[in-house]
């Protein structure tokens, strides 16, 4: 596991380098080298620039459902103004990262282990899909609906994603539609179905 973790760290470095130009077009520029978060210790040292939240991956067994670990503004406040963030994504066999969007950033996904079926839907509702193998990189353009699916029921997949914003945001399509207060009647009319079907969908999502 240790050698695998070293490879993860190396891949993160590559991912950050690859999104440099994406980041330059992301969040607004700041007028200082960095922004010290409120509540930080009075003495600024290397700890301020260090994120340790990925250490939990070392030696850990694969999760039993899709899991994402983020290093974004909320988890790593020193990213404020730096126009970059990152996530580590773990896909057990047969799991999916459901259709979602990132309204404030493009996403660059680097597949480290396993295989993934990925897809993008553009603003004309055209679907673009690809099956990624280990070592492949795929870009999800800013704001477009996309997904990732581990088709292999017997082998997990592991990926690292980099974003051109410190706070890319995530809008889950199933949750945004069925786990909010949009009325059942509006949803039933919109999806050309009945209220009973909408309620079953909500129940399946744990509404």
């Amino acid at each position: 596991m240790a050698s695998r973790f070293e490879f993860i760290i190396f891949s993160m470095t590559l991912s950050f380098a690859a999104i440099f130009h994406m980041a330059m077009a992301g969040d607004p520029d700041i007028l200082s080298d960095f922004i010290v978060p409120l509540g930080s210790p009075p003495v600024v040292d290397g700890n301020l620039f260090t994120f340790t939240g990925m250490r939990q991956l070392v030696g850990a067994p694969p999760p039993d459902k899709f899991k994402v670990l983020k290093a974004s503004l909320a988890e790593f406040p020193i990213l404020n103004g730096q126009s970059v963030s990152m996530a580590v994504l773990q896909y057990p066999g047969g799991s999916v990262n459901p259709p979602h969007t990132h309204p404030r950033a493009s996403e660059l996904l680097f597949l480290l282990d396993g295989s993934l079926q990925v897809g993008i839907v553009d603003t004309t509702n055209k679907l673009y899909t690809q099956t990624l193998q280990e070592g492949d990189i795929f870009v999800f353009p800013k704001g477009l609906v996309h997904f990732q699916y581990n088709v292999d029921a017997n082998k997990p997949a592991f990926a690292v994603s980099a974003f051109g914003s410190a706070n890319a945001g995530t809008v889950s399509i199933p949750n945004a539609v069925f786990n909010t207060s949009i009325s059942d009647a509006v949803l039933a009319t919109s999806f050309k179905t009945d209220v009973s079907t909408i309620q079953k969908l909500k129940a399946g999502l744990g509404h």
Side-chain angles (χ1 to χ4, degrees), residues 21-28 83 100-108 120-123 138-146 162-171:
H21 292 293
M22 291 165 54
M24 295 300 289
D27 301 337
S83 299
H100 62 282
T101 71
H102 302 294
R104 292 182 289 274
S106 302
E107 175 182 359
L108 199 63
I120 305 166
V121 180
D122 71 11
T123 55
F138 193 86
V139 63
F140 300 98
K142 179 179 178 179
L144 295 189
V145 173
H146 60 279
F163 302 90
S165 169
N167 187 22
T170 300
V171 178

Side-chain angles (χ1 to χ4, degrees), residues 112-179:
L112 298 171
D113 192 22
S115 63
L116 284 177
Q117 183 184 98
V118 300
I120 305 166
V121 180
D122 71 11
T123 55
T124 68
N125 293 326
K126 182 176 180 179
L127 174 65
Y128 300 86
T129 62
Q130 183 63 277
T131 299
L132 304 182
Q133 305 298 327
E134 294 176 10
D136 290 348
I137 294 175
F138 193 86
V139 63
F140 300 98
K142 179 179 178 179
L144 295 189
V145 173
H146 60 279
F147 66 88
Q148 300 111 29
Y149 175 41
N150 182 4
V151 180
D152 191 334
N154 300 310
K155 182 178 180 181
F158 191 91
V160 173
S161 282
F163 302 90
S165 169
N167 187 22
T170 300
V171 178
S172 167
I173 304 304
N175 285 330
V177 173
F178 296 107
N179 274 348

Side-chain angles (χ1 to χ4, degrees), residues 54-108:
M54 301 302 178
R55 290 181 182 178
Q56 62 184 283
L57 293 168
V58 182
D64 56 7
K65 60 181 180 179
F66 171 73
K67 183 177 181 181
V68 56
L69 293 175
K70 297 180 180 179
S72 62
L73 184 63
E75 299 82 16
F76 195 17
I78 192 61
L79 292 183
N80 189 13
Q82 301 304 318
S83 299
V84 291
S85 58
M86 182 160 279
V88 173
L89 305 104
Q90 299 177 83
Y91 310 81
S95 66
V96 64
N97 186 4
H100 62 282
T101 71
H102 302 294
R104 292 182 289 274
S106 302
E107 175 182 359
L108 199 63

